[in-house]
Amino acid sequence: MAFVAPPLSCHPLPTPNTKHSLHSIFTPKPNASLSFCATQTHQREPLTSTHNSLSQPNLLQEINNLCDSGNLSEALTLLQADSRNAISSLQQKKDAMGALLQACGRHKDVETGRKVHDLVSASTQFSNDFVLNTRIITMYSVCGSPSDSRLVFNGLQRKNLFQWNALVSGYARNELYGDAIDVFIELISVTVFKPDNFTFPCLIKACGGLLDVGLGQVIHGMAVKMGLMSDVFVGNALIAMYGKCGSIEDAVRVFDLMPERNLVSWNSMICGYSENGFSQQCYSLLRKILEGEESLVPDVATLVTILPLCAGKGEVNIGMVIHGVAVKLGLNQELMVNNALMDMYSKCGYLAEAQVLFDKNDKKNVVSWNSIIGGYSREGDVWGTFDLFQKMQMEEEKVKVNEVTVLNVLPACLEESELLSLKKLHGYSFRHGFLYDELVANAFVSAYAKCGSLTSAERVFHGIETKTVSSWNAVIGGYAQNGDPKKALDLYLQMKYSGLDPDWFSIGSLLLACAHLKLLQHGRQIHGFVLRDGSETDSFIGISLLSFYIQCGKLSSARVLFDRMEAKSRVSWNAMITGYTQSGLADEALNLFRQMLSDETLPCEIGTMSVFEACSQLSSLRLGKELHCFALKARLTEDLFVGCSLIDMYAKSGCIEESHRVFDWLVKKDVPSWNVIIAGYGVHGHGSKALELFGEMVSLGQKPDGFTFIGVLTACSHAGLVKEGLKYFNQMQSLYGIDPKLEHYACVVDMLGRAGQLEEALNLIHEMPEEPDTRMWSSLLSSCRLHNNLDMGQKISEKLIELEPEKAESYVLLSNLYAASGKWDDVRRVRQRMKEMGLQKDAGHSWIDVGGQVYSFVAGDTSLPESGEIKKMWSRLEEKISKFGYRPNTGSVLHELEEEEEKIEILRRHSEKLAISFGLLKMSKGATLRICKNLRICVDCHNAAKLISKVVEREIVVRDNKRFHHFKHGLCSCGDYW
């Protein structure tokens, strides 16, 4: 036991508060022998005057000076010369050899270390010296060559505990944790030595590295039995081990029971909390240190442990407080702290603050550059990212670009427009050999795929010499996510043939590919594999399966999977709610959202947007307002996407004024927010206001995109602003460089058709660079029906039915065209064909929100409990509006009936009339009626609604499948143009 001293790698250096100091053991002092040498011989050789005499120069002092200045080769030469001439005493030579071996470790100079090893081995006096051989073992391990350490250890004729400790420490230092455990087992099995307070910290570190908490608890028990729990280094190592293994309660227990704690103990506990996501506990411990707990002062390790937690949680306010603490303690000048602060600010979105710290840093290292480059890259600032990258290359003498730098630049390359920059970066990485790094090569595969160059992605992939599962995942994921899911499946089969098994990422990419291709059966087979493999409980796999079923339209299967999830994450809730919303099942989406809140899971921005969309689909203004209040309290409205969803929700719920109010509240108005408000005014028929907003948007320097012009052209179409619409359509390419797409042509065709310019609309279709789709022909056919152009309508219907022979709407439009022209034989022929094909016309369906509950009505339905009251209400209304000139427009009845009264009775049972009557029965006086309809409102219902708004003195808002109608004081906002 007398030969034991702690190896450096086992534990952090002690703080000034620590009672035991290792400095004297491991740092050779001028004119002094090494302390463990005295321990070995049980006596200290006194320094004689000969050591400092002019005739005998002080070898140790000279060696120390050369080592401090990094001149190890010169130190070796001096040592070799001294050995040949036998100038210095044996003790001084031994100390000098030990000092040089330590310096070789510090400078990672294994070649010089080998030569010192040869000197020791060739010396009869020192070849079996315990201390020097221990130094050699440690030197090799510090230089990253633990195999050489083992060879030296195995070649020793005599071993003491110190050398066993050095070997265990060496393996732990080089992350060969299994080997460290094996050496320990060998130590207690074949020797008489008892592990001590220097063995255990290294051993406990190995348990942490293996994440083997069970073995760690066994070692903990041994330490207790041997009475070593009072040692601060053993306690610190246990805290760190339990923290890494996720057993935070055990770490707290060790921390609380430690008889002596130093700053490392507190830092280890903070690190344990941080690694396990307990941010508040981290901050609490820091607060206790700052309040003077145990007279400790935070150091660099304390701050660089907590700052990444602030970065990960986005808690910039706490990060700023820690910044203040660093300034007060003078730690902000420390490079590690400065880098951590910069990283925290950039990850929290405060890039300007990070840039200030970077600019003021005079000691920038590669971490500093990588951190600021990563910040710009995450923000999507391509120019800023590559500008910094170029400046870093100019600093090559001080700092060199490494693989991490390239990995930080790559996230900026996400769009096709960045392909050239990506290729330049690829060339640079190729020239500097970075592509040999698997992570870099895989990242280039993903980047090329995201930039739309799948061939380049595959070329990089084929250039990877040894392809791992991660390499295959990169290329499979690239194809699955970026437009070629079939190729993704082919590559997966190739991976299987190469002998590699898929991991969770492979499964996620396969499910995504199957979802894109709607390969339900293949996806179910993958689900079966997941069940057999037992990985369905993995959160990533669960979300991937959920998304697969949702995208394949199997909401019931998705819901079964969702309900079976034991731990539902916020992502899974959002995915399910979004799935219901996108499938038009708004009621189910809202019900699930309520269940989510009752489950005490708070939605994020994405989930909130989906619920706003559900409210939009139902035109449920009351629910939308309640959700708006919730989003305000949860501070979600600060997000631009949530803000756009709010604008859209109010617009689609018939409240364009409230929609504009939300738009005005936005602190930052981007192009999507302008697009939403312009489209909102357009669908409400306020074409002039939409164009006014477009002009304001352009004058403020915002660059309109394709979606902007869809909103502008739609607004012109609904307001009959044909001249203005054609002007903006022509300006798209000439002024703004935007090539018109099919959607833009469809808007212009609809605009011309509504205005009766059918020939012009047809000519535009023929002149288009793209083939027209069914929606365009359907729009023109509706215009033919509106303007009674039977000849053109028949020709268009032939095109429409040719494209979609099994779509009922095409036959219904043709039937209505014939009915409007009184061609009942043709009507019967079309309907007979529909019957033979099993096609059915959608019934008129309207719904109204009363007191937060949505009530639905189908045309002609008399089975409702309130049907009697509704009929009486309509009779009273019809009587009143008849006095103001209402006459049923039987031309709106597209049925072959001879009796006018029969036609009038059908008109009375139109779904919007039922909804209006119900609303007047159930809602308070003066309240606005907001009604939605699945079909276009007919002329008779439109005329009736205008007059009803006058006689009941309230506003009626009807949203049909094309636009909004605001009925007030006997007028409609559409000006009878729809």
Side-chain angles (χ1 to χ4, degrees), residues 407 506 600 744:
L407 290 170
S506 315
E600 297 184 353
H744 303 102

Side-chain angles (χ1 to χ4, degrees), residues 97 182 271 306 388 406 584-585 630 702 975:
M97 288 178 176
D182 290 342
C271 184
I306 289 191
L388 281 166
V406 177
L585 301 171
F630 171 83
Q702 296 280 0

Side-chain angles (χ1 to χ4, degrees), residues 386-402:
F386 279 92
D387 181 59
L388 281 166
F389 180 61
Q390 290 172 354
K391 289 177 179 176
M392 183 179 181
Q393 294 173 56
M394 294 167 65
E395 299 283 330
E396 195 169 347
E397 291 183 4
K398 299 178 184 176
V399 61
K400 291 187 181 296
V401 172
N402 61 14

Side-chain angles (χ1 to χ4, degrees), residues 2 33 113 118 163 218 257 274 288 299 302 311 320 391 447 505 542 548 607 739 779 799 879 920 935 958:
S33 302
D118 291 341
Q163 290 155 346
V218 170
L257 294 175
S274 176
K288 288 181 180 180
D299 64 357
T302 316
M320 287 177 174
K391 289 177 179 176
F505 192 89
F548 160 73
D739 292 325
S779 170
K799 282 274 188 185
E879 183 181 347
L920 292 171
L935 303 176
V958 176

Side-chain angles (χ1 to χ4, degrees), residues 476-496:
I476 291 170
Y479 275 103
Q481 295 168 24
N482 298 283
D484 197 345
K486 189 175 184 305
K487 180 72 173 178
L489 296 176
D490 293 340
L491 284 165
Y492 167 73
L493 293 175
Q494 291 178 36
M495 181 181 84
K496 286 288 291 179

